[in-house]
Amino acid sequence: MKRTLADRNRKRTFAGWIGKRALGGVLTVLLASILIYGALRLAPGDPVLAMTGGRRLTPDQVEALRHRYGLDQGFMQGYLAWIGDALRLDFGTSMNYQTSVTSLITNRLGVSGVLILYSAVLAIVFGFAVALASAVKGGLVNRVAGIVAAVTTATPTFVSAIGLLALFSVGLGWFPATGAGTGLADRLWHLTLPAVAMAIVAFGVLARVGNAAFAEELRREHVEVARSRGVSTAAVIRRHVVRNALAPILTIIGLLFASLFVGTAVVETAFGLDGVGSLLVSSVSRRDFPVVQGIALIAVLLFVVVNTLVDLAMPFIDPRVTVGGPGR
């Protein structure tokens, strides 16, 4: 009977915790959407003049354009209309392309999605491996890995992109300089340098955080006890070190994965890729408000979703993390 009541209480606590996380995510997206809409509406300059390239228009034509894009509405009225359409995945019509913003974004998600996944895999695999190896080996290996991680973390993405282009595309000719390719194999070949350029900073951050987490676990008493009992090094690392160190590493992976979406703006522009990032850059320069608003809202939504999923997965990965409270 007591066990049944305890199980029910745990389920209620977990359900309430999920509800709080979901509510926090919704409020975050709502606040961000207000800031996105307000920042673009209050930006200096007339979007109609930017859209028309400074061409002279009659007052009636200007008013028609303002009405079409909701620029003649008050802030609150315009925001409610915009967020209501966004909930239906309707971000309006692009001022420059004269087509649906949703279709513009979805047509480019293929390139950006593969690029983000490719760079995330590279950063996670190599960052995790370097972090674990340097923590276990220590000494010179740890110092060298620390220097490499510090340098890669401090290297701007655009610098990495230029360096990779100059060396491997222009100099050696191993990889194409532009384009996304066709087909899976060709696309991966074309996106290798862009993915590496995006992954360099993420690799450095993950290597440093992972090294600290693994080193801390290696110094714990239960690890020393397991070693003294003759448990193999591989078993100790697998059972006692890696699993217990996953919580901070997974948190960083969630943050990095969402930030890679924003990083596509620099990399796609440098490598001439027709993705969401390059679309954002061109739309900002042309003051294409609907496109900028749509991409910014999607980026915030991705960030919130990824980090909420990480929070929900944490108690299952690390039992020391308690639901609804700090770990014991």
Side-chain angles (χ1 to χ4, degrees):
M1 184 67 178
K2 291 182 178 179
R3 185 176 181 180
T4 303
L5 290 174
D7 290 340
R8 289 178 180 175
N9 289 333
R10 277 196 296 269
K11 289 180 180 179
R12 292 195 192 101
T13 303
F14 186 66
W17 183 66
I18 291 178
K20 290 180 180 179
R21 287 291 187 272
L23 179 60
V26 171
L27 291 177
T28 300
V29 173
L30 183 63
L31 178 60
S33 68
I34 294 175
L35 295 175
I36 291 169
Y37 184 81
L40 291 172
R41 283 292 294 263
L42 299 176
D46 191 337
V48 173
L49 294 179
M51 176 187 63
T52 58
R55 296 193 305 270
R56 291 185 177 181
L57 300 176
T58 64
D60 291 339
Q61 290 174 322
V62 172
E63 188 61 29
L65 287 173
R66 292 186 183 279
H67 179 73
R68 179 178 179 182
Y69 294 104
L71 299 174
D72 59 341
Q73 299 175 345
F75 179 85
M76 206 61 203
Q77 182 183 1
Y79 168 75
L80 292 176
W82 174 72
I83 197 64
D85 291 337
L87 291 174
R88 298 190 295 270
L89 299 180
D90 179 8
F91 298 104
T93 303
S94 167
M95 293 179 173
N96 290 288
Y97 295 94
Q98 295 299 311
T99 188
S100 167
V101 173
T102 304
S103 64
L104 281 175
I105 295 175
T106 53
N107 290 338
R108 289 163 172 78
L109 273 179
V111 174
S112 296
V114 174
L115 178 59
I116 291 171
L117 288 175
Y118 196 177
S119 60
V121 169
L122 292 175
I124 292 171
V125 170
F126 288 99
F128 192 92
V130 169
L132 182 58
S134 59
V136 173
K137 296 293 185 181
L140 180 61
V141 174
N142 190 36
R143 290 194 293 271
V144 172
I147 294 173
V148 172
V151 171
T152 53
T153 302
T155 304
T157 303
F158 73 90
V159 173
S160 300
I162 294 173
L164 291 171
L165 275 171
L167 179 59
F168 294 103
S169 291
V170 179
L172 299 175
W174 290 357
F175 296 95
T178 59
T182 57
L184 180 60
D186 190 45
R187 174 153 295 184
L188 291 177
W189 181 50
H190 277 75
L191 294 182
T192 295
L193 290 186
V196 172
M198 282 179 57
I200 285 177
V201 173
F203 157 80
V205 173
L206 187 57
R208 296 179 71 178
V209 173
N211 175 273
F214 289 137
E216 181 181 356
E217 293 300 326
L218 285 167
R219 291 191 297 267
R220 292 193 180 275
E221 183 178 352
H222 67 276
V223 174
E224 297 296 335
V225 171
R227 284 174 169 172
S228 66
R229 289 180 177 178
V231 181
S232 66
T233 302
V236 170
I237 292 173
R238 185 176 65 254
R239 297 173 186 172
H240 302 289
V241 176
V242 173
R243 183 177 180 183
N244 292 336
L246 279 181
I249 295 174
L250 187 62
T251 301
I252 291 297
I253 289 176
L255 294 172
L256 292 177
F257 192 89
S259 67
L260 288 175
F261 182 86
V262 180
T264 58
V266 174
V267 172
E268 288 179 359
T269 302
F271 287 90
L273 300 175
D274 194 17
V276 177
S278 59
L279 176 64
L280 175 63
V281 172
S282 63
S283 298
V284 168
S285 63
R286 298 174 182 177
R287 298 182 62 82
D288 196 340
F289 280 20
V291 177
V292 176
Q293 288 174 328
I295 296 176
L297 188 60
I298 290 173
V300 171
L301 184 61
L302 177 65
F303 181 85
V304 170
V305 168
V306 170
N307 284 278
T308 301
L309 291 176
V310 169
D311 285 342
L312 294 177
M314 204 68 73
F316 300 98
I317 294 173
D318 190 348
R320 297 172 300 174
V321 178
T322 59
V323 175
R328 297 179 194 181

